[in-house]
Amino acid sequence: MRGQLYLPEETVEQVEAKRRRFAAWTNDPKRWATKVACDLFTAAFLLPKKGGIPANANSVTIPTTAHVRTRLSGGSLYGPLEVAAIDAADYARAFHWPLAFPEVMIARGGFDLVLGNPPWERIKLQEKEFFATRAPEIALAANAAARRKMIRELADAEPGSPRRLLYDQFEFAKRVAEASSAFFAAPKDEDPTKIDLNKVGRARRYPWTGRGDVNTYALFAEHFQNLMRDGGRAGLIVPTSIATDITTAPFFGNLVDKRELISLFSFYEVRKWFVATDDRKAFCLLVLGAAVDPVRFIFEVSDLQDLEISERYFELSPDQIAELNPNTKTAPVFRTQQDASLTATIYRRVPVLSEHRQGVAGNPWGVSFMAMFHMSNDSDLFRAASQLDGTGYIQNGADWLREDGERPSQGIMAVAGGRDVGELDLSIHAAPATDRYVPLYEAKMIHQFDHRWATYEGAESREMTLAEKANASIEGVPRYWVPQTEVTDRLSAAGWNQGWLMGWRRNARNTDERTMIFSALPRTGVGDSHFLLSLQATPAQSAAFIGCMNSLSQDFIVRQKAGGVNMSFYLVEQFPILPPSAYSTDDLDFIVPRVLELTYTSYSMTPFARDLGHFGPPFVWSEDRRAHLRADLDGWYALAYGLSRDELRYVLDPKEVMGSDYPSETFRVLKEKEISQCGEYRTARLVLAAYDRLVSEGMRPRTEGYR
């Protein structure tokens, strides 16, 4: 074949002669046998496994390793099996690279250059997408449970009817998707954050990207890496999540370890560049190749002119990437070199929340995580008010109780717009758990130091008013309620026994007013839009942890690390969090009363207050008072993180330090909101004043760190 590639094609006759030679090579028995062997291997994943044990060799319907070897050696197979394998491979559009490019893949060991814009599609069949045009009523079902019920009803339709044919098409598409996932998948029991990069090697087809909810763009990225020969290069247009997400962390970590990452230029939101779409994902130009140290990055490019601004670029060595993200070796998303330098300085002082390779010693807080209720898979447990009303349940405060069940003598808490029921009745558990439905909190209901940020009115949410928050008996109304038994069982299984919870919003962007939205909240149901964590710590230390997570200094770092919209566990584990040893008794005496007052604003948080030794009523909600309390905490945490005054000024507003044309921003949305509402950037003034006051009282930046 190699010689035929270089046949002349100057005339029509020469082109035709070359075509005939190519056709003859394509149909050569030896090449055909190799092609069929490749198809057999692929079809082993695609063909349905049914029919029981074959009666003999001529009734086998699934190819095995023996069939592949037989065909490679020139032997013949049972005809229907071979035809079925070829058809299945053709349907899946299987492409055998060594057969298509033998002069490159075999003779040269790969390509000099590979360029591409691969598809961005999940392998797993999406029910809503499949039925969107075929049966919109199924795609638009209220929830996953309702959708699954409607799909099961299709299976009961008359054979041969349009509805039954639709079900058969769905089942076939699902099988192809599942077979493809099996072909691509790495072992299910393999922890991608603990994979031994030196042992995986080429033992599997996609050892780095064939995991989790597999996406084709990740598979292509690994494939492009494999298509390069030594010294070659590859360039791809892929979502920026290739460098920031946990699913692709093993792949990106492998690139970092092997020093095969050359550059990554990330662009802000697909929809900005391709106006016919509404895709809000960031995408990047990823370049792979021979060892380059350091690697060149630029993130959040919103205009082509950004590429001409030298300050927008930053460089990191593979060792620095590993220091910033020790568990995953994913890429941070700095806007400038100054952002990168300040963040790296903080990481040298403060350990991450949980560093896996250090075991117990790397997890000083003893942190554990939970997603309590899955909003899709657990939806059959959810009840709206309309589903509970008139079914033997009555609303009592925030809960729904069975009418014939034993109830507290007074309500537990009022709901937004409801009656004032006064102080918390500590006989909260008087009603049997089996007779109680409790609120299901969702992310949009909470904010920093605020478990009453929003309330639902039917299916829509709104922010709670200051008047509502001023009433300590009023709570937000959830969209759904869940059985208290489920809440109790899930928390007990995790060993979480305290009377309140804490966690953060799962969805977060580094361009919003604040990125890490962390809060304490009542011990109730919580959907997976809000992740939970638990600490092996005293209540006072837990309060200090809450203060740290909501501090401006911490949020500055979070904004450098959050490249997408999903604040997952693996990101939080790799934030630099002040360890328990950072807090002296005097420190806690300063922090805890402020966190308590910011948090204990309604009777539902009484267990939190009691754990901190406070036995009075909730604190009155005052916007001005809260601004000063938060400024005190932000000043303290800035010093604890080792920030100089100028570094704190940079955190608050880089342009105020570096000039109005400086291409970085941190809390721009917060600044603009406060200028609009207060006539000034109030947070900056208050925080700097608190910082100066603490310095005047003897506190200094902790530059020696906690390592």
Side-chain angles (χ1 to χ4, degrees):
M1 175 62 187
R2 180 174 176 81
Q4 297 179 36
L5 287 174
Y6 302 101
L7 291 174
E9 46 187 30
E10 301 296 328
T11 67
V12 173
E13 291 77 11
Q14 290 173 340
V15 172
E16 176 60 23
K18 189 172 184 178
R19 186 197 64 77
R20 288 196 301 270
R21 295 279 294 274
F22 180 80
W25 172 79
T26 301
N27 295 317
D28 178 83
K30 291 184 178 180
R31 182 192 178 280
W32 178 251
T34 304
K35 191 266 184 191
V36 172
C38 293
D39 287 347
L40 288 165
F41 177 83
T42 305
F45 293 87
L46 297 171
L47 291 173
K49 283 72 174 174
K50 60 183 182 180
I53 300 174
N56 54 63
N58 288 334
S59 61
V60 175
T61 59
I62 304 297
T64 65
T65 302
H67 295 121
V68 174
R69 290 173 176 168
T70 297
R71 210 61 182 91
L72 280 173
S73 63
S76 59
L77 300 178
Y78 176 51
L81 171 63
E82 182 167 313
V83 170
I86 294 171
D87 287 346
D90 286 346
Y91 174 83
R93 297 185 294 177
F95 189 82
H96 309 307
W97 285 80
L99 294 181
F101 300 103
E103 76 288 356
V104 174
M105 301 302 297
I106 298 173
R108 291 174 54 83
F111 290 89
D112 296 311
L113 177 65
V114 188
L115 296 174
N117 178 15
W120 307 354
E121 299 173 355
R122 285 191 286 179
I123 299 297
K124 182 180 179 180
L125 183 67
Q126 304 302 305
E127 294 175 351
K128 293 177 68 173
E129 294 178 7
F130 180 87
F131 289 105
T133 57
R134 298 174 174 89
E137 68 279 8
I138 297 178
L140 297 175
N143 51 48
R147 188 177 305 110
R148 288 193 292 267
K149 181 176 182 294
M150 296 171 74
I151 293 173
R152 288 194 298 270
E153 290 172 352
L154 292 179
D156 296 332
E158 186 73 21
S161 67
R163 288 176 57 80
R164 180 56 185 266
L165 289 175
L166 177 59
Y167 177 78
D168 293 341
Q169 292 172 1
F170 171 73
E171 284 295 303
F172 182 75
K174 185 167 68 171
R175 183 175 60 78
V176 171
E178 291 171 350
S180 299
S181 294
F183 177 78
F184 297 130
K188 291 183 178 180
D189 60 350
E190 188 173 68
D191 184 346
T193 66
K194 299 179 181 178
I195 189 171
D196 188 334
L197 301 178
N198 297 315
K199 293 181 179 179
V200 174
R202 301 300 182 196
R204 301 192 296 274
R205 184 67 183 84
Y206 294 96
W208 310 110
T209 58
R211 59 185 69 255
D213 197 354
V214 179
N215 197 299
T216 51
Y217 80 79
L219 299 174
F220 271 96
E222 182 173 358
H223 186 53
F224 277 28
Q225 182 188 17
N226 295 335
L227 289 177
M228 294 186 300
R229 69 176 182 85
D230 289 342
R233 290 203 174 190
L236 304 88
I237 303 174
V238 292
T240 302
S241 54
I242 191 74
T244 59
D245 279 8
I246 187 61
T247 303
T248 52
F251 169 71
F252 197 79
N254 183 39
L255 291 178
V256 171
D257 278 358
K258 295 179 65 177
R259 284 171 160 73
E260 290 189 357
L261 179 62
I262 292 178
S263 64
L264 189 153
F265 294 0
S266 177
F267 295 79
Y268 182 75
E269 292 193 355
V270 173
R271 62 178 182 168
K272 176 178 177 59
W273 303 89
F274 303 95
V275 295
T277 75
D278 191 38
D279 193 335
R280 304 189 180 195
K281 289 193 295 291
F283 68 98
C284 69
L285 307 182
L286 179 68
V287 180
L288 313 178
V292 172
D293 190 359
V295 183
R296 199 175 190 215
F297 295 92
I298 183 172
F299 281 90
E300 297 186 9
V301 175
S302 58
D303 190 285
L304 290 178
Q305 292 181 350
D306 291 347
L307 298 172
E308 305 298 323
I309 303 174
S310 59
E311 293 92 342
R312 290 298 310 277
Y313 292 90
F314 66 92
E315 295 181 340
L316 291 173
S317 70
D319 290 340
Q320 288 173 316
I321 294 173
E323 184 178 56
L324 293 169
N325 285 319
N327 299 335
T328 61
K329 298 178 183 175
T330 46
V333 290
F334 303 120
R335 292 179 64 89
T336 66
Q337 185 64 49
Q338 179 64 22
D339 290 348
S341 298
L342 180 54
T343 302
T345 298
I346 292 173
Y347 267 87
R348 285 192 289 271
R349 298 171 185 155
V350 183
V352 297
L353 177 60
S354 178
E355 185 168 350
H356 295 167
R357 64 181 178 179
Q358 293 186 9
V360 175
N363 185 6
W365 283 100
V367 66
S368 58
F369 301 102
M370 177 189 293
M372 187 186 293
F373 287 98
H374 193 286
M375 296 302 292
S376 177
N377 294 343
D378 290 327
S379 59
D380 57 322
L381 297 171
F382 303 169
R383 297 292 183 272
S386 60
Q387 295 173 294
L388 291 169
D389 193 19
T391 61
Y393 285 86
I394 60 172
Q395 192 163 13
N396 183 270
D399 298 351
W400 285 83
L401 307 179
R402 189 177 295 279
E403 285 188 276
D404 56 358
E406 182 182 355
R407 297 193 302 276
S409 59
Q410 67 179 47
I412 299 164
M413 62 191 80
V415 296
R419 64 188 179 90
D420 182 350
V421 298
E423 293 189 12
L424 175 72
D425 184 344
L426 295 181
S427 62
I428 184 171
H429 297 298
T434 53
D435 293 337
R436 183 189 296 275
Y437 274 83
V438 297
L440 179 70
Y441 270 64
E442 298 181 53
K444 63 180 62 178
M445 295 177 67
I446 68 105
H447 211 279
Q448 293 182 326
F449 300 113
D450 185 5
H451 67 286
R452 300 187 299 164
W453 172 256
T455 185
Y456 274 91
E457 293 180 345
E460 301 297 324
S461 66
R462 64 166 175 84
E463 289 186 21
M464 291 185 67
T465 67
L466 293 180
E468 288 170 332
K469 290 184 178 183
N471 186 335
S473 298
I474 289 181
E475 300 292 329
V477 178
R479 183 167 49 150
Y480 300 113
W481 284 259
V482 292
Q484 182 176 315
T485 51
E486 286 288 338
V487 175
T488 301
D489 289 347
R490 296 182 188 210
L491 291 174
S492 296
W496 293 15
N497 300 314
Q498 65 188 20
W500 49 277
L501 304 173
M502 59 180 166
W504 71 96
R505 284 190 187 182
R506 177 178 181 175
N507 294 324
R509 295 187 299 178
N510 60 10
T511 54
D512 289 341
E513 180 178 327
R514 296 296 293 266
T515 301
M516 171 56 76
I517 309 297
F518 199 93
S519 184
L521 64 156
R523 185 181 173 95
T524 187
V526 183
D528 66 350
S529 62
H530 185 284
F531 287 146
L532 301 172
L533 63 77
S534 179
L535 307 174
Q536 295 176 13
T538 67
Q541 289 173 326
S542 295
F545 184 93
I546 294 171
C548 181
M549 295 299 283
N550 281 329
S551 68
L552 284 164
S553 300
Q554 168 65 11
D555 212 25
F556 167 77
I557 300 163
V558 171
R559 294 164 98 83
Q560 317 301 322
K561 305 292 290 297
V565 296
N566 193 347
M567 187 72 72
S568 296
F569 302 142
Y570 79 94
L571 283 173
V572 175
E573 284 185 310
Q574 296 178 120
F575 294 150
I577 306 297
L578 298 179
S581 61
Y583 303 100
S584 67
T585 300
D586 288 343
D587 294 331
L588 293 177
D589 287 344
F590 178 88
I591 294 168
V592 172
R594 290 167 171 80
V595 173
L596 171 66
E597 184 171 345
L598 288 166
T599 303
Y600 183 35
T601 59
S602 82
Y603 286 104
S604 66
M605 291 305 297
T606 297
F608 178 79
R610 300 297 186 260
D611 281 353
L612 292 176
H614 180 82
F615 294 90
F619 292 90
V620 176
W621 186 283
S622 166
E623 290 285 296
D624 184 67
R625 171 71 175 167
R626 292 175 67 84
H628 282 82
L629 291 172
R630 297 194 62 169
D632 287 348
L633 291 171
D634 282 324
W636 190 94
Y637 282 103
L639 287 161
Y641 271 99
L643 299 183
S644 69
R645 193 177 194 279
D646 282 343
E647 287 172 335
L648 176 57
R649 289 173 57 226
Y650 182 90
V651 165
L652 289 163
D653 185 4
K655 295 183 187 298
E656 197 271 332
V657 177
M658 308 296 290
S660 59
D661 60 344
Y662 190 67
S664 184
E665 63 179 45
T666 49
F667 300 102
R668 174 182 56 81
V669 176
L670 174 64
K671 175 183 176 181
E672 292 176 350
K673 175 183 176 181
E674 291 189 346
I675 290 175
S676 173
Q677 294 180 348
C678 309
E680 62 166 339
Y681 187 6
R682 182 179 64 173
T683 292
R685 175 175 61 81
L686 294 179
V687 170
L688 289 170
Y691 181 97
D692 292 340
R693 185 170 59 255
L694 288 167
V695 169
S696 71
E697 294 171 357
M699 189 174 179
R700 295 292 182 268
R702 181 72 179 269
T703 55
E704 70 273 21
Y706 307 89
R707 292 186 177 275

